[in-house]
Amino acid sequence: MIFNTWVYGVFLTCFFVFYWVVPPKGRMAVLVVGGLVFYTYYLPLHTVLIVGLILATYGLGAAMDRLRNQETGAGLKGVFTLKTVLVLSLVLCLGVLAYFKYLPLLAATFDGLILLLRRGAPYQLPDIVIPLGLSFFVFEFVHYLAEVYKGSVPRGSLCEYAAFGMFFPTLVAGPIKRFQPFLEQIRHPVPFRLEYLSEGLYRILLGLGKKMIIADSMIYFTDPLANPLNAGGADYWVAMYAFAIKIYFDFSGYSDIAIGSAKVLGIRVPENFDRPYFQQNIAVFWNKWHMSLSSWIRDYLYIPLGGNRGTLLFTLRNLIMAMALCGLWHGAAWNFLVWGLYHGLGMSLFRVYRKKGTALINMVEKLPALPVKIVSILVTFHFVCFGWVFFAADLHTAFQFLALMFSF
Amino acid sequence: MGQKTVGSITFIVSLVVFFFITNSLALWYVFHQMGYDHNFRFADGAHVKAEVLDLYLEYVAGQGGYKIAVVGDSVVQGAGVPEREQTLTAHLQEELWGGYSKTARVFNFGLPGGRPADLYMMVKELHEAGAAQMIIVNISYPFFSYEMTKTPLLYFKVWSPGLSVIEKEELKVPAGFTSAQGAEASLQQGAEDSEDAGDNVEKTVSRYWAVYRFRQEINRYLFGGPPAVQGKAYLDLILHGIVPDAAPAEEFPEEEPLSEKDKPENRYKVWTSFPWSDQDKEHLKNVFNVTEEDNVNFKYYRLLCGYLQENDIPALIFMSPVNHSLLQRYELLDYSSYVHNTGLIRQVAEDRGILFLNYQEAIPPHLFHDSMHMLDEGNAITAGLLSQELQPLIEGAGQR
């Protein structure tokens, strides 16, 4: 089910009524059933996958929980360590993600090499349909497993975990939730309040407006990104800005609908965007753009890689790696990897500037604050905009587009 | 009550009010832009589209007052006059408002080139939509000539989805169109079978929420098209000097008029002010050559009268005024057949209890543009005659 369709409107309306009519104790089960209906509508087979993943990850989480507990986990102790179970569970989650999302990329690359070297037979890939919202719910499961491993969240019951995993407002496009805040809300259901409806409706309408009025209108301007040779002059610049507008309003619109849909059910989910194009440097941009993903990358990628707990070079390596993976998360194509590396390099440069550019920083601080702020915002915005070219087009087209942009 | 609750109630009430206000505004705006509220008449030539007719019916059905729909061909549409205010229906409206009925509303349902089958379909549509309290049907003598049965029904595309195979055959709906329409219908059926609940919901919302239903029209009227497309065209103009393509000359390419009377310089002039070619005279002779032979147009005329009777629809039928001077000057009419056939036409209506008015000799020749189409004053006189006949009917219905 896609948000900006009538069927979702009907589904949400019916679910809203049903959810508030059911006694508070039953709402958790209603959320699970709602998620199942929502997901099954898209492709029933994939419901089996998500249900299987929920059961498996919950089971693995339970195993980790037992292993931490000396008495009840005694039977498991001799066979598995806590870390082994974590690795197993991560292999499971990331394996599913890799199979559905990245196998086609690897196969295509392999076939490209075969063709280049003129040796061997190309790999015949079966038709794979990527499950709706796969990247989002896998990241939520990884978060859950990592936190259970650390012992920082309660394991929760299977129903609670299923309600977390199958929560339909965030199932398709996030925001990527955290288990504990969600658990607290479903464990302590609130009575209906009119502001849930009004605030939720407001966010949903805002999101629909962003998506359908602004973002969808931009497609008339972005064609040069797909066919650069058919355009000329300022078309490239218009296309780049239009794409920047489109992607922000599209994604933040979707997030608004998700947040609003959760809100009408009296449930808060994380915000995802906070005026990202008005930030003064690329590091802050990433704190304001797709915030639930940025914080996930920070907590489960960047910090485990070592974060900034080492030399500057070590930090830069971690930054670039984390952003490269972040790029690949957005899509299984090499242009997304380049987009991630581009941002990783940008953040690294900014880090170097902050650490080693004291003289330059002092000089800038002596300049009038407002012009510096405006220039900083414009520089950051344009850095992001040029990056969108790699996001929007395959590598060959992206480089062609950039070359044509500057061929005055 | 808490501040948040008050705010929430205000917000939700505002949403509901916004919904209804925008809905009414959208309806009013689109109908206004289509010209429905200003002596609307269908476009010249056979250019009426099904959606225009549907919208017009919806508009008329939504209006108040005692509604009179005048159904006919180009005589009702007003092919002899340039302005809407000069049509028969506009004059009839003036007559009623200036006379005995302040609540009557007259609507023009004249289809240029229409025939009895079109009139029959139109009456059915009007009745099914519950759009009018009274229907006036205008019949023209040439309807019943053999000449008028030779070519396909002009509005077959408008009525086609509802026509049976037999009807399509006897109304000469082009075979290619029949098969294409059939394919389209089967495709449509297939699509309906497979369409999901979302499409049905969309259709339902579209039916009740005018803003959504008319989004394309509203964009077109307000911005000349979808704003983003217009923005792109503007940018192209600024950046590359590319002038947007002119609106497609579209659908209705104007054909070179074959007849003197249809040439732009003669279009709304009295018939004596331009020459009548042999071709024009031959054409008139053919269309006024009504024989006793029963034909498809007569059949649909009988069906029309039967439908009015069976459904107990308050109605009257009047025969279009004829320019006898023109017909006599060039000896285009066989008067013995004319009298006989007029009697037959009258009889069909009167046998079904429908008031029949023969205005074929009611208008002096200098008030005609051609053999049938009247100039402004001719329409006014006909409207005056109709108004007199309508008085007992309207007053009988309690509408003053």
Side-chain angles (χ1 to χ4, degrees):
Chain A
M1 227 179 274
I2 307 297
F3 283 159
N4 55 326
T5 57
W6 291 103
V7 75
Y8 179 72
V10 174
F11 170 79
L12 184 63
T13 308
C14 297
F15 188 86
F16 167 79
V17 174
F18 191 58
Y19 179 82
W20 288 111
V21 165
V22 164
K25 278 185 181 176
R27 283 188 201 150
M28 205 184 299
V30 172
L31 281 179
V32 177
V33 173
L36 285 169
V37 172
F38 178 89
Y39 208 74
T40 306
Y41 183 86
Y42 177 66
L43 189 65
L45 191 64
H46 286 164
T47 309
V48 178
L49 173 81
I50 192 170
V51 169
L53 262 183
I54 285 173
L55 291 173
T57 49
Y58 183 75
L60 288 162
M64 284 193 276
D65 208 31
R66 286 192 170 197
L67 280 168
R68 188 176 297 101
N69 186 322
Q70 289 290 340
E71 289 166 23
T72 54
L76 285 169
K77 275 277 179 185
V79 189
F80 297 110
T81 64
L82 195 60
K83 206 162 205 164
T84 319
V85 180
L86 176 69
V87 171
L88 269 178
S89 54
L90 292 182
V91 166
L92 173 72
C93 289
L94 300 177
V96 170
L97 189 63
Y99 173 76
F100 282 104
K101 197 165 175 178
Y102 300 107
L103 191 58
L105 171 68
L106 292 176
T109 308
F110 175 75
D111 288 352
L113 286 173
I114 291 281
L115 200 68
L116 194 69
L117 302 172
R118 297 172 191 278
R119 298 183 68 169
Y123 180 73
Q124 294 297 319
L125 192 69
D127 285 338
I128 296 174
V129 181
I130 301 176
L132 195 67
L134 175 75
S135 309
F136 289 93
F137 63 71
V138 163
F139 268 31
E140 287 188 348
F141 297 158
V142 169
H143 143 74
Y144 171 77
L145 291 164
E147 295 303 320
V148 170
Y149 168 77
K150 287 191 272 186
S152 55
V153 298
R155 180 159 57 93
S157 69
L158 178 59
C159 188
E160 287 165 342
Y161 181 60
F164 170 72
M166 299 291 301
F167 186 61
F168 69 84
T170 59
L171 201 52
V172 180
I176 300 167
K177 310 183 297 294
R178 298 298 172 104
F179 186 61
Q180 186 140 11
F182 187 83
L183 183 67
E184 281 166 16
Q185 293 182 79
I186 56 172
R187 276 188 178 171
H188 306 102
V190 288
F192 175 73
R193 292 168 70 175
L194 203 57
E195 52 256 40
Y196 296 149
L197 180 63
S198 62
E199 287 169 16
L201 273 178
Y202 170 74
R203 286 302 288 265
I204 291 170
L205 290 175
L206 185 69
L208 281 173
K210 282 181 178 178
K211 161 88 182 118
M212 297 171 80
I213 297 173
I214 302 177
D216 289 354
S217 297
M218 291 299 125
I219 56 167
Y220 296 103
F221 302 91
T222 55
D223 187 59
L225 278 161
N227 306 296
L229 295 177
N230 292 346
D235 287 345
Y236 304 108
W237 292 84
V238 171
M240 183 187 74
Y241 292 129
F243 188 81
I245 293 169
K246 175 183 161 52
I247 195 161
Y248 169 72
F249 282 99
D250 198 279
F251 200 4
S252 74
Y254 243 68
S255 294
D256 282 335
I257 298 171
I259 293 165
S261 300
K263 189 73 190 175
V264 296
L265 305 176
I267 293 173
R268 286 185 319 279
V269 292
E271 289 291 339
N272 237 2
F273 294 89
D274 183 12
R275 294 172 297 157
Y277 288 153
F278 292 96
Q279 305 311 319
Q280 294 183 57
N281 63 62
I282 193 65
V284 186
F285 168 82
W286 273 104
N287 284 334
K288 306 288 184 180
W289 175 275
H290 201 175
M291 295 186 291
S292 65
L293 174 70
S294 304
S295 61
W296 193 99
I297 298 277
R298 183 196 63 215
D299 293 346
Y300 302 111
L301 213 52
Y302 177 67
I303 292 174
L305 281 170
N308 56 4
R309 300 184 301 277
T311 63
L312 181 61
L313 274 178
F314 179 75
T315 305
L316 299 186
R317 183 207 72 164
N318 294 340
L319 268 176
I320 291 172
M321 279 178 72
M323 291 311 292
L325 289 168
C326 169
L328 270 182
W329 178 88
H330 281 84
W334 295 118
N335 57 307
F336 289 107
L337 178 70
V338 170
W339 175 76
L341 285 169
Y342 170 84
H343 275 278
L345 281 169
M347 289 179 71
S348 300
L349 279 174
F350 181 68
R351 170 76 63 162
V352 171
Y353 165 74
R354 293 291 290 268
K355 290 286 176 193
K356 302 289 181 188
T358 317
L360 190 57
I361 291 170
N362 289 339
M363 200 173 77
V364 169
E365 279 177 353
K366 285 176 188 160
L367 296 170
L370 186 63
V372 169
K373 187 177 175 182
I374 292 170
V375 170
S376 304
I377 290 172
L378 284 174
V379 168
T380 307
F381 174 68
H382 280 85
F383 178 83
V384 172
C385 283
F386 289 124
W388 289 134
V389 176
F390 293 105
F391 197 92
D394 63 75
L395 279 182
H396 173 74
T397 315
F399 282 116
Q400 197 177 44
F401 181 92
L402 287 170
L404 288 166
M405 259 183 111
F406 291 99
S407 58
F408 297 113
Chain B
M1 209 183 298
Q3 201 176 349
K4 270 195 165 183
T5 310
V6 173
S8 300
I9 292 170
T10 311
F11 176 76
I12 290 167
V13 169
S14 305
L15 266 187
V16 175
V17 170
F18 176 78
F19 176 86
F20 284 109
I21 289 177
T22 51
N23 205 39
S24 309
L25 274 177
L27 269 175
W28 172 83
Y29 183 66
V30 171
F31 288 155
H32 177 71
Q33 290 291 333
M34 298 288 280
Y36 292 159
D37 56 352
H38 179 61
N39 291 321
F40 176 78
R41 61 173 173 175
F42 292 119
D44 283 342
H47 304 323
V48 178
K49 289 181 169 180
E51 56 267 31
V52 174
L53 174 62
D54 289 345
L55 271 182
Y56 187 41
L57 279 170
E58 186 180 331
Y59 168 75
V60 176
Q63 297 304 299
Y66 184 76
K67 291 175 285 188
I68 302 169
V70 185
V71 177
D73 62 352
S74 50
V75 173
V76 171
Q77 187 261 356
V81 290
E83 303 298 333
R84 294 177 176 192
E85 291 75 14
Q86 299 172 324
T87 56
L88 172 62
T89 48
H91 282 299
L92 181 57
Q93 178 74 83
E94 290 296 317
E95 286 280 341
L96 295 176
W97 278 354
Y100 52 86
S101 179
K102 305 291 180 199
T103 61
R105 300 279 309 272
V106 183
F107 297 97
N108 190 326
F109 281 89
L111 289 171
R115 295 181 206 169
D118 295 304
L119 275 53
Y120 169 59
M121 310 287 175
M122 185 69 91
V123 165
K124 281 198 343 186
E125 294 275 346
L126 277 162
H127 180 63
E128 283 163 16
Q133 277 83 33
M134 159 153 303
I135 297 178
I136 296 175
V137 181
N138 165 229
I139 294 293
S140 296
Y141 187 72
F143 278 172
F144 305 101
S145 66
Y146 169 68
E147 186 72 12
M148 294 290 273
T149 64
K150 279 164 49 180
T151 50
L153 195 71
L154 276 178
Y155 296 98
F156 65 85
K157 286 182 185 170
V158 175
W159 316 118
S160 191
L163 294 180
S164 67
V165 176
I166 296 170
E167 285 172 328
K168 281 180 182 175
E169 197 175 323
E170 65 188 7
L171 295 171
K172 293 191 168 62
V173 173
F177 182 80
T178 308
S179 59
Q181 191 72 16
E184 194 181 306
S186 63
L187 272 176
Q188 199 177 346
Q189 186 58 46
E192 277 170 14
D193 290 346
S194 63
E195 75 187 0
D196 58 18
D199 292 331
N200 285 326
V201 173
E202 186 166 352
K203 280 179 191 164
T204 310
V205 171
S206 185
R207 188 176 304 146
Y208 295 106
W209 190 26
V211 180
Y212 183 73
R213 179 177 167 194
F214 297 127
R215 61 196 185 283
Q216 287 171 353
E217 284 83 0
I218 292 169
N219 273 336
R220 194 169 66 241
Y221 293 137
L222 284 177
F223 311 110
V229 177
Q230 295 301 102
K232 178 75 172 70
Y234 183 67
L235 266 180
D236 282 342
L237 187 65
I238 291 176
L239 298 177
H240 309 294
I242 300 172
V243 179
D245 293 339
E250 113 134 284
E251 317 145 32
F252 317 138
E254 286 299 330
E255 291 169 12
E256 187 68 26
L258 296 172
S259 173
E260 283 290 332
K261 73 183 178 75
D262 293 330
K263 287 184 176 170
E265 63 271 25
N266 298 330
R267 211 162 166 202
Y268 303 115
K269 287 182 179 171
V270 64
W271 65 281
T272 49
S273 64
F274 48 85
W276 285 81
S277 66
D278 289 343
Q279 194 183 347
D280 286 346
K281 287 183 252 178
E282 182 66 22
H283 174 70
L284 280 181
K285 189 166 190 171
N286 289 334
V287 298
F288 275 91
N289 180 24
V290 178
T291 61
E292 284 185 43
E293 190 185 337
D294 202 1
N295 63 33
V296 68
N297 285 349
F298 219 101
K299 175 187 171 182
Y300 276 92
Y301 171 61
R302 283 198 299 271
L303 284 172
L304 165 64
C305 293
Y307 186 83
L308 291 171
Q309 181 194 25
E310 284 159 22
N311 292 284
D312 205 17
I313 299 170
L316 68 82
I317 293 175
F318 77 95
M319 282 200 81
S320 304
V322 173
N323 180 357
H324 288 283
S325 284
L326 171 64
L327 300 180
Q328 284 165 4
R329 177 180 291 185
Y330 300 114
E331 297 177 355
L332 303 175
L333 185 62
D334 173 1
Y335 274 89
S336 61
S337 317
Y338 165 74
V339 172
H340 178 71
N341 290 327
T342 301
L344 289 177
I345 296 164
R346 172 191 288 275
Q347 194 179 344
V348 171
E350 290 183 345
D351 283 353
R352 287 159 180 79
I354 302 165
L355 177 61
F356 184 89
L357 307 169
N358 182 6
Y359 290 162
Q360 291 185 112
E361 288 94 38
I363 304 299
H366 67 278
L367 301 182
F368 282 93
H369 163 65
D370 55 20
S371 61
M372 306 283 302
H373 301 112
M374 290 170 285
L375 301 172
D376 184 24
E377 199 182 337
N379 283 329
I381 294 173
T382 312
L385 294 171
L386 274 173
S387 169
Q388 286 170 25
E389 298 291 344
L390 282 170
Q391 186 162 9
L393 301 175
I394 293 177
E395 288 179 352
Q399 301 294 326
R400 295 179 70 91

